[in-house]
Coordinates of all heavy atoms in Angstrom, one line a residue:
M1 N 86.5 -11.0 2.9 CA 85.7 -12.0 2.3 C 84.2 -11.7 2.5 O 83.4 -12.6 2.2 CB 86.0 -13.4 2.8 CG 87.5 -13.7 2.7 SD 88.1 -14.2 1.1 CE 88.0 -16.0 1.4
G2 N 83.8 -10.6 3.2 CA 82.5 -10.3 3.4 C 81.9 -11.0 4.7 O 80.8 -10.7 5.0
L3 N 82.6 -11.8 5.3 CA 82.1 -12.5 6.5 C 82.4 -11.6 7.7 O 83.4 -10.9 7.8 CB 82.9 -13.8 6.8 CG 82.6 -14.9 5.7 CD1 83.5 -16.1 6.0 CD2 81.1 -15.3 5.8
P4 N 81.4 -11.6 8.7 CA 81.6 -10.8 9.9 C 82.8 -11.3 10.7 O 83.0 -12.5 10.7 CB 80.3 -10.9 10.6 CG 79.7 -12.1 10.1 CD 80.2 -12.3 8.7
V5 N 83.5 -10.4 11.3 CA 84.7 -10.9 12.2 C 84.2 -11.2 13.6 O 85.0 -11.6 14.4 CB 85.8 -9.9 12.1 CG1 86.6 -10.0 10.9 CG2 85.3 -8.5 12.4
I6 N 83.0 -10.9 13.9 CA 82.5 -11.1 15.2 C 82.7 -12.6 15.6 O 82.4 -13.5 14.8 CB 81.0 -10.8 15.4 CG1 80.8 -9.3 15.1 CG2 80.4 -11.2 16.7 CD1 79.4 -8.8 15.0
G7 N 83.2 -12.8 16.8 CA 83.4 -14.2 17.2 C 84.9 -14.6 17.0 O 85.3 -15.6 17.6
F8 N 85.6 -13.9 16.2 CA 87.0 -14.3 16.1 C 87.9 -14.1 17.3 O 88.9 -14.7 17.5 CB 87.6 -13.4 14.9 CG 87.8 -14.2 13.7 CD1 86.7 -14.5 12.8 CD2 89.0 -14.7 13.3 CE1 86.8 -15.2 11.7 CE2 89.2 -15.4 12.1 CZ 88.1 -15.7 11.3
D9 N 87.4 -13.1 18.1 CA 88.2 -12.8 19.3 C 88.5 -14.0 20.2 O 89.5 -14.1 20.8 CB 87.5 -11.8 20.2 CG 87.6 -10.4 19.6 OD1 88.4 -10.3 18.6 OD2 87.0 -9.4 20.0
D10 N 87.6 -15.0 20.2 CA 87.8 -16.1 21.1 C 89.0 -17.0 20.6 O 89.7 -17.6 21.4 CB 86.5 -17.0 21.1 CG 85.4 -16.3 21.9 OD1 85.7 -15.5 22.7 OD2 84.3 -16.7 21.7
E11 N 89.2 -17.0 19.3 CA 90.3 -17.8 18.8 C 91.6 -17.1 18.7 O 92.6 -17.6 18.8 CB 89.9 -18.4 17.5 CG 88.7 -19.4 17.6 CD 88.3 -19.9 16.2 OE1 89.2 -20.4 15.5 OE2 87.1 -19.8 15.9
L12 N 91.4 -15.8 18.3 CA 92.6 -15.0 18.1 C 92.8 -13.9 19.1 O 93.0 -12.8 18.8 CB 92.6 -14.4 16.7 CG 92.5 -15.4 15.5 CD1 92.3 -14.6 14.2 CD2 93.7 -16.2 15.5
T13 N 92.7 -14.3 20.3 CA 92.8 -13.4 21.4 C 94.2 -12.8 21.4 O 95.2 -13.5 21.4 CB 92.6 -14.1 22.8 OG1 91.3 -14.6 22.8 CG2 92.7 -13.0 23.9
E14 N 94.3 -11.5 21.4 CA 95.6 -10.9 21.5 C 96.0 -10.9 22.9 O 95.3 -10.5 23.8 CB 95.5 -9.4 21.0 CG 95.3 -9.4 19.5 CD 95.6 -8.0 19.0 OE1 95.7 -7.0 19.8 OE2 95.9 -7.9 17.8
Q15 N 97.2 -11.4 23.2 CA 97.6 -11.6 24.5 C 98.5 -10.4 24.9 O 99.6 -10.3 24.4 CB 98.4 -12.9 24.7 CG 97.4 -14.0 24.3 CD 97.9 -15.4 24.7 OE1 98.8 -16.0 24.1 NE2 97.5 -15.8 25.9
V16 N 98.0 -9.6 25.7 CA 98.6 -8.3 26.0 C 99.3 -8.4 27.4 O 98.8 -9.1 28.3 CB 97.6 -7.2 26.1 CG1 98.2 -5.9 26.5 CG2 96.9 -7.0 24.7
C17 N 100.4 -7.8 27.5 CA 101.2 -7.7 28.7 C 100.3 -7.4 29.9 O 99.4 -6.5 29.9 CB 102.3 -6.6 28.5 SG 103.3 -6.3 30.0
S18 N 100.6 -8.0 31.1 CA 99.8 -7.8 32.3 C 100.2 -6.6 33.1 O 99.5 -6.2 34.0 CB 100.0 -9.0 33.2 OG 99.5 -10.2 32.6
R19 N 101.3 -6.0 32.7 CA 101.8 -4.8 33.4 C 100.7 -3.7 33.3 O 100.3 -3.4 32.1 CB 103.1 -4.4 32.9 CG 103.6 -3.0 33.4 CD 104.3 -3.2 34.8 NE 104.9 -2.0 35.2 CZ 104.5 -1.1 36.1 NH1 103.4 -1.4 36.8 NH2 105.2 -0.1 36.4
A20 N 100.4 -3.1 34.4 CA 99.3 -2.0 34.3 C 99.7 -1.0 33.3 O 100.8 -0.4 33.4 CB 99.1 -1.4 35.7
G21 N 98.8 -0.6 32.4 CA 99.0 0.4 31.5 C 99.8 0.0 30.2 O 99.9 0.8 29.3
C22 N 100.3 -1.2 30.2 CA 101.1 -1.6 29.0 C 100.1 -2.3 28.1 O 99.3 -3.1 28.4 CB 102.2 -2.6 29.5 SG 103.2 -3.2 28.1
T23 N 100.3 -1.9 26.8 CA 99.4 -2.4 25.8 C 100.2 -3.2 24.7 O 99.6 -3.6 23.7 CB 98.6 -1.3 25.1 OG1 99.5 -0.4 24.5 CG2 97.7 -0.6 26.0
L24 N 101.4 -3.5 25.0 CA 102.2 -4.3 24.1 C 101.8 -5.8 24.1 O 101.3 -6.3 25.1 CB 103.7 -4.2 24.5 CG 104.3 -2.8 24.4 CD1 105.7 -2.8 24.8 CD2 104.2 -2.3 22.9
L25 N 102.0 -6.4 23.0 CA 101.7 -7.9 23.0 C 102.7 -8.6 23.8 O 103.9 -8.3 23.8 CB 101.8 -8.4 21.5 CG 100.6 -8.0 20.6 CD1 100.7 -8.6 19.2 CD2 99.3 -8.5 21.2
A26 N 102.2 -9.6 24.5 CA 103.1 -10.4 25.4 C 103.8 -11.4 24.6 O 103.3 -12.0 23.6 CB 102.3 -11.0 26.5
G27 N 105.0 -11.7 25.0 CA 105.8 -12.8 24.4 C 106.2 -13.8 25.4 O 106.8 -14.8 25.1
W28 N 105.8 -13.6 26.7 CA 106.3 -14.5 27.7 C 105.2 -14.7 28.7 O 104.3 -13.9 29.0 CB 107.4 -13.8 28.5 CG 108.5 -13.4 27.6 CD1 108.7 -12.2 27.0 CD2 109.6 -14.2 27.2 NE1 109.9 -12.3 26.2 CE2 110.5 -13.5 26.3 CE3 110.0 -15.6 27.5 CZ2 111.6 -14.0 25.8 CZ3 111.1 -16.1 27.0 CH2 111.9 -15.3 26.1
N29 N 105.2 -15.9 29.3 CA 104.4 -16.2 30.5 C 105.3 -16.0 31.7 O 106.5 -16.5 31.8 CB 104.0 -17.7 30.5 CG 103.0 -18.0 29.4 OD1 102.0 -17.4 29.4 ND2 103.4 -18.9 28.6
V30 N 104.8 -15.3 32.7 CA 105.4 -15.3 34.0 C 104.6 -16.2 34.9 O 103.5 -15.8 35.3 CB 105.5 -13.8 34.5 CG1 106.1 -13.8 35.9 CG2 106.2 -12.9 33.6
N31 N 105.1 -17.3 35.2 CA 104.4 -18.4 35.9 C 104.8 -18.2 37.4 O 106.0 -18.2 37.7 CB 104.8 -19.8 35.5 CG 104.7 -19.9 34.0 OD1 103.7 -20.3 33.5 ND2 105.8 -19.7 33.3
W32 N 103.8 -18.1 38.3 CA 104.1 -17.9 39.7 C 103.0 -18.4 40.5 O 101.9 -18.8 40.1 CB 104.3 -16.4 39.9 CG 103.1 -15.6 39.8 CD1 102.6 -15.1 38.6 CD2 102.2 -15.1 40.8 NE1 101.4 -14.4 38.8 CE2 101.1 -14.4 40.1 CE3 102.1 -15.3 42.2 CZ2 100.1 -13.8 40.8 CZ3 101.1 -14.7 42.9 CH2 100.1 -14.0 42.2
R33 N 103.3 -18.5 41.8 CA 102.3 -18.8 42.8 C 102.6 -18.2 44.1 O 103.8 -17.9 44.4 CB 102.0 -20.3 42.9 CG 103.1 -21.0 43.6 CD 102.9 -22.5 43.6 NE 104.1 -23.2 43.9 CZ 104.6 -23.4 45.1 NH1 103.9 -23.0 46.2 NH2 105.7 -24.0 45.3
N34 N 101.7 -17.9 44.9 CA 101.9 -17.4 46.3 C 101.8 -18.6 47.2 O 100.7 -19.2 47.5 CB 100.8 -16.4 46.6 CG 101.0 -15.9 48.0 OD1 101.7 -16.4 48.9 ND2 100.3 -14.8 48.3
P35 N 102.9 -19.1 47.8 CA 103.0 -20.3 48.6 C 102.1 -20.2 49.9 O 101.8 -21.2 50.5 CB 104.4 -20.5 48.9 CG 105.1 -19.2 48.5 CD 104.3 -18.4 47.6
R36 N 101.8 -18.9 50.3 CA 101.0 -18.8 51.5 C 99.5 -19.1 51.1 O 98.7 -19.3 52.0 CB 101.1 -17.3 52.0 CG 102.5 -17.0 52.5 CD 102.6 -15.5 52.9 NE 103.9 -15.1 53.1 CZ 104.7 -14.8 52.0 NH1 104.3 -14.8 50.8 NH2 106.0 -14.5 52.3
I37 N 99.2 -19.0 49.9 CA 97.8 -19.2 49.5 C 97.6 -20.5 48.6 O 96.6 -21.2 48.7 CB 97.3 -18.0 48.7 CG1 97.4 -16.7 49.5 CG2 95.8 -18.2 48.2 CD1 97.1 -15.4 48.7
H38 N 98.5 -20.6 47.7 CA 98.4 -21.7 46.7 C 99.2 -22.9 47.0 O 100.3 -22.8 47.5 CB 98.9 -21.1 45.3 CG 98.2 -19.8 44.9 ND1 98.9 -18.8 44.4 CD2 96.9 -19.5 44.9 CE1 98.0 -17.8 44.2 NE2 96.8 -18.2 44.4
G39 N 98.6 -24.0 46.7 CA 99.4 -25.3 46.8 C 100.3 -25.4 45.6 O 100.2 -24.6 44.7
V40 N 101.2 -26.4 45.7 CA 102.2 -26.6 44.6 C 101.5 -26.9 43.2 O 102.2 -26.7 42.2 CB 103.2 -27.7 44.9 CG1 104.1 -27.3 46.0 CG2 102.5 -29.0 45.3
E41 N 100.3 -27.3 43.3 CA 99.6 -27.6 42.0 C 99.1 -26.4 41.3 O 98.6 -26.5 40.2 CB 98.5 -28.7 42.2 CG 97.2 -28.1 42.8 CD 97.4 -27.8 44.3 OE1 98.4 -28.2 44.9 OE2 96.4 -27.3 44.9
R42 N 99.1 -25.3 42.0 CA 98.6 -24.0 41.4 C 99.6 -23.2 40.7 O 100.7 -23.1 41.2 CB 97.9 -23.2 42.5 CG 96.6 -23.7 43.0 CD 95.5 -23.5 42.0 NE 95.3 -22.1 41.6 CZ 94.6 -21.3 42.2 NH1 94.0 -21.6 43.3 NH2 94.5 -20.0 41.8
V43 N 99.3 -22.8 39.5 CA 100.2 -21.9 38.8 C 99.4 -20.7 38.3 O 98.5 -20.9 37.6 CB 100.9 -22.5 37.6 CG1 101.9 -21.6 37.0 CG2 101.7 -23.8 38.1
K44 N 99.8 -19.5 38.7 CA 99.2 -18.3 38.2 C 100.1 -17.8 37.1 O 101.3 -18.0 37.1 CB 99.1 -17.2 39.3 CG 98.5 -17.6 40.6 CD 97.0 -17.6 40.4 CE 96.5 -16.2 40.5 NZ 95.0 -16.2 40.3
I45 N 99.5 -17.2 36.1 CA 100.2 -16.8 34.9 C 99.9 -15.3 34.6 O 98.8 -14.9 34.5 CB 99.9 -17.6 33.7 CG1 100.4 -19.1 33.9 CG2 100.6 -17.0 32.5 CD1 100.1 -20.0 32.8
W46 N 101.0 -14.5 34.6 CA 100.9 -13.2 34.0 C 101.5 -13.2 32.6 O 102.4 -14.0 32.4 CB 101.7 -12.2 34.9 CG 101.0 -11.8 36.2 CD1 99.7 -12.1 36.5 CD2 101.6 -11.1 37.2 NE1 99.5 -11.6 37.8 CE2 100.6 -10.9 38.2 CE3 102.8 -10.5 37.5 CZ2 100.8 -10.3 39.4 CZ3 103.1 -9.9 38.6 CH2 102.1 -9.7 39.6
L47 N 101.1 -12.4 31.8 CA 101.7 -12.3 30.5 C 102.6 -11.0 30.5 O 102.3 -10.0 31.1 CB 100.6 -12.1 29.4 CG 99.6 -13.3 29.4 CD1 98.5 -13.0 28.3 CD2 100.3 -14.6 29.1
A48 N 103.7 -11.2 29.8 CA 104.7 -10.1 29.8 C 105.2 -9.8 28.4 O 105.5 -10.8 27.6 CB 105.8 -10.4 30.7
C49 N 105.4 -8.5 28.1 CA 106.1 -8.2 26.9 C 107.6 -8.2 27.2 O 108.0 -8.4 28.3 CB 105.7 -6.8 26.4 SG 106.2 -5.5 27.6
D50 N 108.4 -8.0 26.2 CA 109.9 -8.1 26.4 C 110.3 -7.1 27.4 O 111.2 -7.3 28.2 CB 110.6 -7.8 25.1 CG 110.5 -9.0 24.1 OD1 110.0 -10.1 24.5 OD2 110.8 -8.8 22.9
E51 N 109.7 -5.9 27.4 CA 110.1 -4.8 28.2 C 109.8 -5.1 29.7 O 110.6 -4.7 30.6 CB 109.4 -3.5 27.8 CG 109.9 -2.3 28.5 CD 109.2 -1.0 27.9 OE1 108.7 -1.1 26.8 OE2 109.1 -0.1 28.6
H52 N 108.7 -5.7 30.0 CA 108.3 -5.9 31.4 C 108.5 -7.3 31.9 O 108.1 -7.6 33.1 CB 106.8 -5.5 31.5 CG 106.5 -4.1 31.3 ND1 105.7 -3.6 30.3 CD2 107.1 -3.0 31.9 CE1 105.7 -2.2 30.4 NE2 106.6 -1.9 31.3
R53 N 109.1 -8.2 31.1 CA 109.3 -9.5 31.6 C 110.1 -9.5 32.9 O 109.7 -10.1 33.9 CB 110.0 -10.3 30.5 CG 110.3 -11.7 30.9 CD 111.2 -12.4 29.9 NE 112.5 -11.7 29.7 CZ 113.5 -12.0 28.9 NH1 113.3 -13.1 28.2 NH2 114.6 -11.3 28.9
D54 N 111.2 -8.8 32.9 CA 112.1 -8.8 34.0 C 111.4 -8.1 35.2 O 111.6 -8.4 36.4 CB 113.4 -8.1 33.7 CG 114.3 -9.0 32.8 OD1 113.9 -10.2 32.6 OD2 115.2 -8.5 32.2
Y55 N 110.7 -7.0 34.9 CA 110.0 -6.2 35.9 C 109.1 -7.1 36.7 O 109.0 -7.2 37.9 CB 109.3 -5.1 35.3 CG 108.4 -4.3 36.3 CD1 108.9 -3.2 37.0 CD2 107.1 -4.7 36.5 CE1 108.2 -2.6 38.0 CE2 106.3 -4.1 37.5 CZ 106.8 -3.0 38.2 OH 106.1 -2.4 39.1
L56 N 108.2 -7.9 36.0 CA 107.2 -8.7 36.6 C 107.9 -9.9 37.4 O 107.5 -10.2 38.5 CB 106.2 -9.2 35.6 CG 105.3 -8.1 34.9 CD1 104.6 -8.7 33.8 CD2 104.4 -7.6 36.0
H57 N 108.9 -10.4 36.8 CA 109.6 -11.5 37.4 C 110.2 -11.0 38.8 O 110.1 -11.6 39.8 CB 110.8 -12.0 36.5 CG 111.7 -13.0 37.2 ND1 112.8 -12.6 37.9 CD2 111.7 -14.3 37.2 CE1 113.4 -13.7 38.4 NE2 112.7 -14.7 38.0
D58 N 110.9 -9.8 38.7 CA 111.5 -9.3 39.9 C 110.5 -8.9 41.0 O 110.7 -9.0 42.2 CB 112.4 -8.1 39.5 CG 113.6 -8.5 38.7 OD1 113.8 -9.7 38.6 OD2 114.3 -7.6 38.2
Y59 N 109.4 -8.4 40.5 CA 108.3 -8.0 41.4 C 107.8 -9.2 42.3 O 107.7 -9.1 43.5 CB 107.1 -7.5 40.6 CG 105.9 -7.1 41.4 CD1 105.7 -5.8 41.8 CD2 104.9 -8.0 41.7 CE1 104.5 -5.4 42.4 CE2 103.7 -7.7 42.4 CZ 103.6 -6.4 42.8 OH 102.5 -6.0 43.4
L60 N 107.7 -10.3 41.6 CA 107.2 -11.6 42.3 C 108.4 -12.2 43.2 O 108.2 -12.6 44.3 CB 106.7 -12.6 41.3 CG 105.5 -12.1 40.6 CD1 105.2 -12.9 39.3 CD2 104.3 -12.3 41.5
E61 N 109.6 -12.2 42.6 CA 110.7 -12.7 43.3 C 111.0 -12.0 44.6 O 111.3 -12.6 45.6 CB 111.9 -12.7 42.4 CG 113.1 -13.5 42.9 CD 114.3 -13.5 42.0 OE1 114.8 -12.4 41.7 OE2 114.6 -14.6 41.5
A62 N 110.8 -10.7 44.5 CA 111.0 -9.8 45.7 C 110.1 -10.2 46.8 O 110.3 -9.9 48.0 CB 110.8 -8.4 45.3
R63 N 108.9 -10.8 46.5 CA 108.0 -11.3 47.5 C 108.2 -12.7 47.9 O 107.3 -13.3 48.6 CB 106.6 -11.1 47.0 CG 106.1 -9.6 47.1 CD 105.1 -9.2 46.1 NE 104.8 -7.8 46.2 CZ 105.6 -6.9 45.8 NH1 106.7 -7.1 45.2 NH2 105.3 -5.6 46.0
D64 N 109.3 -13.3 47.4 CA 109.6 -14.7 47.7 C 108.6 -15.7 47.2 O 108.4 -16.8 47.7 CB 109.7 -14.9 49.3 CG 110.9 -14.3 49.9 OD1 111.9 -14.2 49.1 OD2 110.9 -13.9 51.0
F65 N 108.0 -15.3 46.0 CA 107.1 -16.2 45.3 C 108.0 -17.0 44.4 O 108.8 -16.5 43.7 CB 106.0 -15.5 44.6 CG 105.0 -14.7 45.4 CD1 104.1 -13.9 44.8 CD2 105.0 -14.9 46.8 CE1 103.2 -13.2 45.6 CE2 104.1 -14.2 47.6 CZ 103.2 -13.3 46.9
P66 N 107.7 -18.3 44.2 CA 108.3 -19.1 43.1 C 107.9 -18.5 41.8 O 106.7 -18.3 41.6 CB 107.8 -20.5 43.3 CG 107.2 -20.5 44.7 CD 106.8 -19.1 45.0
V67 N 108.8 -18.2 40.9 CA 108.4 -17.5 39.7 C 109.4 -18.0 38.6 O 110.6 -18.1 38.8 CB 108.5 -16.0 39.7 CG1 109.8 -15.5 40.3 CG2 108.1 -15.4 38.4
V68 N 108.8 -18.4 37.4 CA 109.6 -18.9 36.3 C 109.0 -18.3 35.1 O 107.8 -18.3 34.8 CB 109.5 -20.4 36.2 CG1 110.2 -20.9 34.9 CG2 110.1 -21.1 37.4
V69 N 109.9 -17.7 34.2 CA 109.5 -17.1 33.0 C 109.6 -18.2 31.9 O 110.6 -18.8 31.8 CB 110.3 -15.9 32.7 CG1 110.0 -15.3 31.3 CG2 110.1 -14.8 33.7
S70 N 108.6 -18.3 31.1 CA 108.7 -19.2 29.9 C 108.1 -18.6 28.7 O 107.3 -17.6 28.8 CB 107.9 -20.5 30.3 OG 106.5 -20.2 30.4
P71 N 108.4 -19.1 27.5 CA 107.9 -18.5 26.3 C 106.4 -18.6 26.3 O 105.8 -19.5 26.9 CB 108.5 -19.4 25.2 CG 109.7 -20.0 25.8 CD 109.4 -20.2 27.3
L72 N 105.7 -17.7 25.6 CA 104.3 -17.6 25.6 C 103.6 -18.9 25.3 O 102.6 -19.2 25.8 CB 103.8 -16.5 24.7 CG 102.4 -16.1 24.7 CD1 102.0 -15.5 26.1 CD2 102.0 -15.1 23.6
S73 N 104.2 -19.6 24.3 CA 103.6 -20.8 23.9 C 103.8 -22.0 24.8 O 103.3 -23.1 24.6 CB 104.1 -21.2 22.5 OG 105.5 -21.3 22.5
R74 N 104.5 -21.8 25.9 CA 104.9 -22.9 26.8 C 104.6 -22.5 28.2 O 105.6 -22.4 29.0 CB 106.3 -23.3 26.6 CG 106.7 -23.6 25.1 CD 108.0 -24.3 25.0 NE 108.0 -25.5 25.8 CZ 108.6 -26.6 25.5 NH1 109.3 -26.7 24.3 NH2 108.6 -27.7 26.3
P75 N 103.4 -22.4 28.6 CA 103.1 -22.1 30.0 C 103.4 -23.3 30.9 O 103.4 -24.5 30.4 CB 101.6 -21.8 30.0 CG 101.1 -22.5 28.8 CD 102.2 -22.4 27.8
L76 N 103.8 -23.1 32.1 CA 104.2 -24.2 33.0 C 102.9 -24.7 33.7 O 102.0 -23.9 34.0 CB 105.2 -23.8 34.0 CG 106.5 -23.3 33.4 CD1 107.5 -23.1 34.5 CD2 107.1 -24.2 32.4
D77 N 102.8 -26.0 34.0 CA 101.7 -26.4 34.9 C 102.2 -26.8 36.3 O 101.5 -27.3 37.1 CB 101.0 -27.6 34.2 CG 101.9 -28.8 33.9 OD1 103.1 -28.7 34.4 OD2 101.5 -29.7 33.2
R78 N 103.5 -26.5 36.5 CA 104.1 -26.8 37.8 C 105.3 -25.8 38.0 O 106.0 -25.6 37.1 CB 104.6 -28.2 37.8 CG 104.7 -28.8 39.2 CD 103.4 -29.4 39.6 NE 103.6 -30.1 40.8 CZ 102.7 -30.8 41.4 NH1 101.5 -30.9 40.9 NH2 102.9 -31.5 42.5
L79 N 105.4 -25.4 39.2 CA 106.6 -24.5 39.5 C 107.6 -25.3 40.4 O 107.1 -25.9 41.4 CB 106.1 -23.3 40.2 CG 105.5 -22.2 39.3 CD1 104.8 -21.2 40.2 CD2 106.6 -21.6 38.4
P80 N 108.8 -25.2 40.1 CA 109.8 -25.7 41.1 C 109.9 -24.6 42.2 O 109.2 -23.7 42.2 CB 111.1 -25.7 40.3 CG 110.9 -24.6 39.3 CD 109.4 -24.6 39.0
G81 N 110.8 -24.9 43.1 CA 111.0 -23.8 44.1 C 110.6 -24.3 45.5 O 110.3 -25.4 45.7
P82 N 110.5 -23.3 46.4 CA 110.2 -23.6 47.8 C 108.9 -24.4 48.0 O 108.0 -24.3 47.2 CB 110.0 -22.2 48.4 CG 110.7 -21.3 47.5 CD 110.6 -21.9 46.1
L83 N 108.9 -25.2 49.0 CA 107.7 -25.9 49.3 C 106.6 -25.0 49.9 O 106.9 -23.8 50.1 CB 108.0 -27.0 50.3 CG 109.1 -28.0 49.9 CD1 109.5 -28.9 51.0 CD2 108.5 -28.8 48.7
T84 N 105.5 -25.4 50.1 CA 104.4 -24.6 50.6 C 104.7 -24.2 52.0 O 105.6 -24.8 52.7 CB 103.1 -25.3 50.6 OG1 103.2 -26.5 51.5 CG2 102.7 -25.8 49.2
A85 N 104.1 -23.1 52.4 CA 104.3 -22.6 53.8 C 104.1 -23.7 54.8 O 104.8 -23.8 55.8 CB 103.4 -21.4 54.0
E86 N 103.0 -24.5 54.5 CA 102.7 -25.5 55.5 C 103.8 -26.5 55.7 O 104.1 -26.9 56.8 CB 101.4 -26.3 55.0 CG 100.1 -25.5 55.1 CD 100.0 -24.5 54.0 OE1 100.8 -24.6 53.0 OE2 99.1 -23.7 54.0
T87 N 104.3 -27.0 54.6 CA 105.3 -28.0 54.7 C 106.7 -27.5 55.2 O 107.5 -28.3 55.6 CB 105.6 -28.7 53.3 OG1 105.9 -27.7 52.4 CG2 104.3 -29.4 52.9
R88 N 106.8 -26.2 55.2 CA 108.1 -25.6 55.7 C 108.0 -25.5 57.2 O 109.0 -25.3 57.9 CB 108.3 -24.3 55.1 CG 109.3 -24.3 53.9 CD 109.7 -22.9 53.5 NE 108.6 -22.1 53.3 CZ 108.6 -20.9 52.6 NH1 109.7 -20.6 52.1 NH2 107.5 -20.2 52.5
L89 N 106.8 -25.6 57.8 CA 106.7 -25.4 59.2 C 107.4 -26.6 59.9 O 107.2 -27.8 59.4 CB 105.3 -25.3 59.7 CG 104.6 -24.0 59.2 CD1 103.1 -24.1 59.5 CD2 105.2 -22.8 59.9
P90 N 108.0 -26.4 61.0 CA 108.6 -27.5 61.8 C 107.6 -28.5 62.3 O 106.5 -28.1 62.5 CB 109.4 -26.9 62.9 CG 108.8 -25.5 63.1 CD 108.2 -25.1 61.7
Ligands
ZN101 ZN1 104.6 -4.7 29.0

């Protein structure tokens, strides 16, 4: 239409998989937090393509981080799972 496309990136950001080196479009949120650092109100989000969804999930789960995969359009604002390190102390 002759209009410059500059500025469109803010609205139509392509959401690319967070896996290093992967350039595929993400279809999933990998919601996680590090209970040693983050309180229960914190949720970190990685983006994942179909191929790396399980990889990223397992990577975090192997570190005992609470992790939940959700569709890209439905990020979580809260994670279930273990309590914070502080509250687990006797
Ligand atoms: Zn990927």
Side-chain angles (χ1 to χ4, degrees):
M1 309 276 267
L3 293 173
V5 283
I6 295 169
F8 256 77
D9 282 350
D10 287 340
E11 292 177 54
L12 297 177
T13 302
E14 290 195 342
Q15 300 194 279
V16 176
C17 178
S18 298
R19 174 81 169 107
C22 182
T23 56
L24 295 177
L25 284 181
W28 303 93
N29 291 302
V30 179
N31 310 271
W32 65 279
R33 67 183 166 84
N34 180 346
R36 294 174 196 82
I37 301 172
H38 306 132
V40 287
E41 75 286 354
R42 286 290 301 276
V43 180
K44 306 282 285 179
I45 295 177
W46 285 349
L47 302 176
C49 65
D50 288 348
E51 188 178 336
H52 292 123
R53 180 188 60 177
D54 291 347
Y55 173 91
L56 293 170
H57 173 275
D58 292 351
Y59 178 94
L60 293 161
E61 190 177 62
R63 282 155 181 76
D64 289 332
F65 294 170
V67 53
V68 175
V69 174
S70 64
L72 189 63
S73 58
R74 305 193 57 145
L76 301 187
D77 57 11
R78 201 86 170 185
L79 283 167
L83 299 173
T84 61
E86 289 80 7
T87 56
R88 263 189 309 199
L89 292 173

